Amino acid sequence: MPFTHTLQVIGHRTIDAVWRIGLATRFFALTLMYSGTSFRRFHLIIKELFSTGVMSLIIIIVAGLFVGMVLGLQGYETLQRYGSESALGVMVALGLVRELGPVVAALLFASRAGSAMTAEIGLMKATEQISAMEMMAVNPIARIVAPRFWAGVISMPLLAAMFSAVGVFGGYFVGVIQIGVDEGSFWSQMQAAVDFREDILNGVLKSFVFGTVVTVIALFEGFDAPPTAEGVSGATTRTVVTSSLAILMLDFVLTAIMFRGN
Amino acid sequence: MVEISDLHFAYDKRAILKGINMSLQKGKLIAIMGSSGCGKTTLLRHIGGVLKPTKGYVKISGQVIHELDQHNLYAMRRKMGMLFQFGALFTDMSVFDNVAFQMREHTTLPEELIHDLVLMKLHAVGLRGTQKLMPSELSGGMARRVALARTVALDPMLIMYDEPFAGLDPISLRVVGDLIRRLNDALGATSVVVTHDVQESLKIVDYVYFMENGTIAAEGTPEEIRASDKAFVRQFVHGEIDGPVPFHYPGGDYRQELNLSV
Ligand SMILES: Nc1ncnc2c1ncn2[C@@H]1O[C@H](COP(=O)(O)OP(=O)(O)O)[C@@H](O)[C@H]1O
Ligand SMILES: [Mg+2]
């Protein structure tokens, strides 16, 4: 009966996945519900902003610089065939602000900050810190999860903006300084073609959505991890895999909604 | 003070507690002993209201714990302290912040007063000098003592210790044992110590319960326990390998499994 067995396995996996999505949604709702403490005592969020946001800064800046330089090179290659290398600035900026900034920054954020969050919370659970907090009549969702959630949501758009800004500079470096594209047209065409609402705001919206999704996945996996060494390492891997896939799929959906017909 | 009556509990289908009766008097230090996995931690979790019994109840100061709503349960937990097996110190906070945690969460005391209170608690466990260290910089025995200071931070009326002696060297073990006794008497609290360490705990406690197979197998004052002629108690007190608690986990026939012809 290999066929029915396969069906059975697929069925089990599907039910399991749906079940986990339900649990994660409930977890997300609880996090929002118990967010009051974090805003009344904002220093709790500030502390987490440091460990999620500031600690991811270096990797975001380095990655942004290189992605921008590659865009400069590839963009020039393509554009000069049509004699329109003066549009290089537009191409680099739009590519970054609309797509690569939010997406690549979110992927890096998931593997740098997301995995660290899962591991930290999983270990807190394994060493009974979460139970201890509950026994001290302090709600762990309010005290541990919510500040980290808001720190992730706040820092993701900022990191993506940083990524795009550094990337534009990388494109400028390769295009203008190395290859010799006209500096004036690089900047002025960029200024003329990049729209605030259409491009920048949509890009920020994307990274806001990615930040929310990555942080919720990371926190949920940590909170849900079996309290053992294998449990925590498995959860960390799941965070990176699940949130990377979620970012790429959501990016398609969001792009289709935002830029359809332009 | 604490009254436990006919307490039953099962994980899934496996019965863990099968009718526990205990009565813990105010001001007393009580030990609960029993082999690993017999349900001691599970019992403590019922007293703390983390688990709900399938039958019977735990009553503290006349209130049935599992019937309290979240608000009243948290109010009750503020009057309890629980020392977890390996201390469960918050790894992202210094020793000082760990001890100050409940004061900051549950009181509106000014920071200067909290500072003095924390130093008094740390002084009581002999670790005032460690206030700036992180938990990872402490030895096992020191971490246990800091956790002890944190447990009694708000002067609880009921203190629970889950295997406070596990993994300690003989000197730390005496120190912690002595502290448990002194803290109980100084606070006028009621303390419950779950332990394997028969010799150490018989020296400090007022009353002993032996758990076996989900029920209370024996109880009495330390003198009565030492003099007991119940086989099970004798095995435990004198550390004999085989007795009513078997050395062998139930298995198949040994000769058959070795493929010896009978
Ligand atoms: N979350 C759980 N799910 C299922 N079984 C559990 C769980 N926690 C503990 N158990 C089982 O319950 C029994 C009692 O556990 P516990 O109360 O921790 O024992 P101990 O006396 O060593 O503290 C053990 O056999 C353990 O395997
Ligand atoms: Mg235990």
Side-chain angles (χ1 to χ4, degrees):
Chain A
M1 297 270 173
F3 178 68
T4 45
H5 179 74
T6 315
L7 262 186
Q8 217 170 28
V9 170
I10 293 174
H12 264 299
R13 292 256 169 104
T14 314
I15 291 173
D16 229 43
V18 172
W19 187 243
R20 282 185 75 76
I21 291 175
L23 285 177
T25 311
R26 183 168 162 276
F27 178 80
F28 180 41
L30 283 174
T31 306
L32 293 180
M33 209 168 100
Y34 291 117
S35 286
T37 315
S38 312
F39 286 98
R40 269 193 307 280
R41 294 159 62 191
F42 203 73
H43 66 94
L44 293 177
I45 297 185
I46 305 263
K47 186 177 164 215
E48 300 307 328
L49 271 176
F50 180 78
S51 52
T52 52
V54 179
M55 299 311 264
S56 313
L57 203 55
I58 297 282
I59 180 175
I60 291 281
I61 286 177
V62 173
L65 190 68
F66 278 98
V67 169
M69 294 200 296
V70 170
L71 272 181
L73 275 178
Q74 293 282 16
Y76 179 78
E77 270 301 307
T78 310
L79 290 172
Q80 57 117 19
R81 291 189 209 166
Y82 308 101
S84 45
E85 58 267 30
S86 59
L88 183 64
V90 182
M91 188 187 150
V92 170
L94 283 185
L96 281 166
V97 170
R98 284 180 168 192
E99 284 299 331
L100 291 170
V103 171
V104 180
L107 291 173
L108 293 171
F109 184 76
S111 45
R112 170 69 180 77
S115 62
M117 259 184 219
T118 305
E120 189 191 16
I121 294 191
L123 279 175
M124 281 183 162
K125 191 176 168 195
T127 53
E128 294 192 303
Q129 293 177 52
I130 299 204
S131 307
M133 193 172 278
E134 243 170 296
M135 275 306 299
M136 293 180 206
V138 174
N139 186 329
I141 303 248
R143 188 59 176 68
I144 299 178
V145 173
R148 284 170 174 78
F149 169 72
W150 288 106
V153 170
I154 294 170
S155 52
M156 186 70 265
L158 296 174
L159 289 171
M162 200 76 80
F163 185 97
S164 298
V166 175
V168 166
F169 179 76
Y172 167 81
F173 179 75
V174 168
V176 177
I177 297 183
Q178 298 287 311
I179 301 177
V181 173
D182 179 57
E183 180 165 8
S185 56
F186 184 90
W187 292 118
S188 64
Q189 292 217 15
M190 187 192 299
Q191 221 170 17
V194 178
D195 184 68
F196 180 72
R197 213 198 67 79
E198 193 62 28
D199 302 315
I200 310 246
L201 228 48
N202 274 338
V204 171
L205 194 63
K206 271 189 182 179
S207 61
F208 175 77
V209 173
F210 297 158
T212 308
V213 170
V214 171
T215 317
V216 168
I217 290 175
L219 293 169
F220 173 71
E221 288 291 353
F223 217 76
D224 191 55
T228 58
E230 307 87 65
V232 175
S233 78
T236 310
T237 311
R238 268 202 307 282
T239 290
V240 176
V241 173
T242 319
S243 49
S244 302
L245 283 178
I247 290 164
L248 296 171
M249 290 197 266
L250 276 171
D251 183 49
F252 171 72
V253 175
L254 289 173
T255 308
I257 296 171
M258 289 169 173
F259 300 108
R260 195 179 36 182
N262 284 7
Chain B
M1 164 92 197
V2 181
E3 195 196 324
I4 300 175
S5 172
D6 195 30
L7 195 70
H8 283 74
F9 179 75
Y11 273 119
D12 302 319
K13 289 265 147 48
R14 232 176 92 227
I16 307 287
L17 304 180
K18 305 171 192 165
I20 301 274
N21 292 291
M22 286 186 184
S23 152
L24 315 180
Q25 261 136 50
K26 189 166 166 32
K28 296 282 196 243
L29 176 47
I30 298 109
I32 301 177
M33 296 183 199
S35 39
S36 309
C38 74
K40 303 181 298 294
T41 302
T42 307
L43 178 61
L44 287 188
R45 287 188 199 281
H46 279 86
I47 301 178
V50 180
L51 296 173
K52 281 196 196 316
T54 45
K55 191 174 161 223
Y57 61 80
V58 176
K59 229 186 219 182
I60 301 178
S61 312
Q63 287 178 287
V64 176
I65 292 299
H66 70 266
E67 287 171 359
L68 298 174
D69 58 19
Q70 164 116 358
H71 178 78
N72 286 317
L73 179 62
Y74 270 22
M76 180 61 83
R77 282 185 187 166
R78 287 186 197 191
K79 293 183 239 163
M80 300 181 191
M82 173 122 144
L83 182 76
F84 282 80
Q85 191 155 349
F86 292 102
L89 291 174
F90 300 130
T91 39
D92 59 340
M93 297 179 200
S94 69
V95 164
F96 184 96
D97 290 339
N98 261 284
V99 180
F101 183 79
Q102 292 182 84
M103 304 178 189
R104 288 176 179 154
E105 294 292 325
H106 292 319
T107 71
T108 50
L109 298 175
E111 198 59 29
E112 304 90 75
L113 190 54
I114 288 181
H115 175 262
D116 294 350
L117 284 172
V118 169
L119 289 193
M120 277 161 59
K121 297 293 175 191
L122 281 174
H123 188 77
V125 298
L127 292 176
R128 193 162 33 84
T130 64
Q131 52 169 310
K132 293 208 175 66
L133 298 182
M134 295 304 281
S136 56
E137 297 171 285
L138 302 173
S139 73
M142 277 152 69
R144 206 71 57 88
R145 279 148 75 190
V146 171
L148 204 54
R150 184 182 68 175
T151 304
V152 298
L154 291 183
D155 298 345
M157 59 172 197
L158 172 64
I159 316 177
M160 291 172 274
Y161 301 92
D162 195 355
E163 310 207 3
F165 306 123
L168 293 185
D169 61 79
I171 302 172
S172 305
L173 195 144
R174 292 299 304 276
V175 170
V176 170
D178 189 53
L179 274 171
I180 289 175
R181 179 79 243 184
R182 280 198 291 133
L183 284 171
N184 185 69
D185 297 346
L187 294 172
T190 307
S191 302
V192 184
V193 183
V194 160
T195 179
H196 297 298
D197 204 297
V198 186
Q199 299 310 332
E200 183 60 30
S201 46
L202 283 183
K203 271 182 247 162
I204 59 169
V205 301
D206 300 314
Y207 203 77
V208 182
Y209 286 97
F210 272 98
M211 267 176 81
E212 185 53 23
N213 207 4
T215 56
I216 301 295
E219 61 180 281
T221 61
E223 294 76 49
E224 290 166 353
I225 291 297
R226 283 202 189 89
S228 170
D229 52 8
K230 281 194 184 172
F232 166 73
V233 174
R234 289 183 58 81
Q235 188 191 354
F236 221 90
V237 173
H238 301 291
E240 288 155 11
I241 291 173
D242 220 348
V245 181
F247 169 66
H248 286 292
Y249 189 87
D253 185 69
Y254 190 33
R255 302 186 67 172
Q256 212 167 353
E257 284 183 26
L258 290 177
N259 290 326
L260 298 179
S261 49
V262 185

